[in-house]
Amino acid sequence: MSGIKVTSLSPALGAEVSGVDLHQPLSPETMAELKAAWNKHFVLRFRGQRLSDPQLLEVTRKFGELDPPGPNPYGKPFLADFPEINVISNVKEGGAPIGNLGDGEAVWHCDMTYIDNPPRGAFLHALEIPPAGGDTFWSNMHLAYETLPEDLKQAIDGKGAIHDSTYNSAGMMRKGMKEITDPREAPGAQHPLVIRHPDTGRAALFLGRRRNSYIVGMGLSESNELLDALWEHATQPHLSFRQVWKLNDLILWDNRSTLHRRDSFDPTSRRVMHRTQIKGPAVTPFTITPDAINAGALAA
Ligand code: OGA
Ligand code: MN
């Protein structure tokens, strides 16, 4: 026995992991237990462990290959010495932001789905937190799919959507992008609306982000109507977990099984998080009728 303890944090998803010191080498048994817990709870929280940047990178590598951050609005890595680490912060030094996403709300999304192989997961480590606000929420996309009304399941079976790469979750335009007026022309990858989890095979709703999303092959208003219904269902409070950050919290989430969002916080307070990502395998579709994918919009 490795001695680790996994305690559920909400009925929908999330678990606290204790009894493990992430500064120490982790045995193969401990790693197997952690990965099993990750695949079961989708969001794992480790409390009270301050990791240096090299330690954060080392822990991340135990879960898979490092996936570098996507393009930020400023066009260069936030940490010159550790370009694999992303910084999420509202802090400015000498007028320049030290990190991404500012102090505003970050709307529901999952990370970097505008590329073909979005990250499998991510770590977020709280190095400085505001006295209030800035809570992060995750929602369980397996439960979202499984509890979807049958007519909506049928309506999305075998269908795919465009995942726009123009804006980040804080509404900031990424470097080199231009305004989108028609979602059908948005740049970004196409993914099935229902995917198979790479480890467990369990079906998950895969929505990316709402802004400029478009279901391929549908009329624009028909697509918007269906997307609104899916998003309303997927972001219900009973499918989510709320993380009220404590200093030094480290959260690992599954980016194929969850959506996340963040509350805004007082701009005069400081929030500094260091963040890593784990590379994901190709996205694979889940269909009720196995042939649907060939007949549907994702063909070719
Ligand atoms: C992220 C993200 C939310 C937060 O790091 O991908 O969306 O709480 N962060 O900072
Ligand atoms: Mn995110």
Side-chain angles (χ1 to χ4, degrees):
M1 288 302 287
S2 66
I4 72 167
K5 204 170 131 205
V6 178
T7 315
S8 171
L9 286 168
S10 88
L13 76 166
E16 177 104 16
V17 180
S18 55
V20 60
D21 182 354
L22 297 176
H23 304 87
Q24 303 299 325
L26 301 176
S27 68
E29 301 84 72
T30 301
M31 280 313 302
E33 282 183 50
L34 291 175
K35 284 180 182 170
W38 189 31
N39 279 333
K40 184 173 173 200
H41 299 281
F42 315 114
V43 176
L44 298 183
R45 183 171 75 196
F46 303 85
R47 277 225 137 130
Q49 305 202 39
R50 180 72 160 214
L51 301 181
S52 66
D53 290 331
Q55 284 166 338
L56 177 60
L57 289 171
E58 201 179 317
V59 168
T60 308
R61 278 195 204 95
K62 294 189 168 128
F63 286 82
E65 199 184 329
L66 278 169
D67 201 7
N72 64 47
Y74 315 103
K76 62 174 191 329
F78 290 114
L79 297 178
D81 291 343
F82 300 102
E84 311 92 334
I85 294 183
N86 201 349
V87 181
I88 305 297
S89 185
N90 64 319
V91 173
K92 289 186 176 156
E93 274 167 16
I98 66 159
N100 211 347
L101 300 187
D103 52 52
E105 183 188 354
V107 297
W108 283 110
H109 67 282
C110 65
D111 295 318
M112 290 177 69
T113 58
Y114 51 85
I115 63 170
D116 283 336
N117 289 355
R120 165 80 176 79
F123 278 96
L124 199 56
H125 191 25
L127 303 183
E128 289 185 58
I129 53 166
D135 297 349
T136 310
F137 300 70
W138 280 267
S139 183
N140 180 337
M141 290 302 104
H142 297 295
L143 275 184
Y145 180 70
E146 287 154 11
T147 59
L148 203 60
E150 199 52 40
D151 59 326
L152 289 182
K153 272 191 185 164
Q154 292 289 344
I156 59 173
D157 191 38
K159 291 206 162 53
I162 297 181
H163 292 235
D164 174 38
S165 57
T166 311
Y167 302 95
N168 72 15
S169 57
M172 302 165 178
M173 197 179 277
R174 293 179 215 277
K175 204 172 169 71
M177 294 286 168
K178 59 179 202 318
E179 196 84 45
I180 297 302
T181 46
D182 186 339
R184 289 171 292 197
E185 285 154 20
Q190 273 185 40
H191 295 295
L193 277 164
V194 191
I195 62 168
R196 216 175 257 289
H197 188 275
D199 284 1
T200 65
R202 193 171 166 194
L205 203 53
F206 198 57
L207 296 177
R209 55 198 72 196
R210 178 65 188 89
R211 187 172 186 177
N212 292 333
S213 182
Y214 166 66
I215 304 179
V216 180
M218 284 191 158
L220 192 52
S221 55
E222 193 192 1
S223 159
N224 278 331
E225 214 173 288
L226 183 49
L227 284 170
D228 286 344
L230 295 171
W231 277 94
E232 194 182 327
H233 175 82
T235 57
Q236 295 171 91
H238 73 272
L239 299 178
S240 1
F241 156 68
R242 176 186 203 146
Q243 158 70 352
V244 182
W245 292 92
K246 284 202 167 142
L247 193 62
N248 299 334
D249 276 359
L250 175 69
I251 288 229
L252 165 63
W253 72 87
D254 186 320
N255 193 50
R256 302 287 178 93
S257 303
T258 63
L259 288 170
H260 57 279
R261 74 166 190 89
R262 182 193 75 190
D263 277 347
S264 61
F265 55 97
D266 177 359
T268 64
S269 61
R270 291 170 62 98
R271 188 177 190 267
V272 181
M273 326 283 270
H274 280 193
R275 184 187 187 293
T276 50
Q277 289 188 151
I278 300 155
K279 260 201 175 51
V283 172
T284 53
F286 174 95
T287 56
I288 304 172
T289 44
D291 286 344
I293 213 76
N294 301 319
L298 284 182

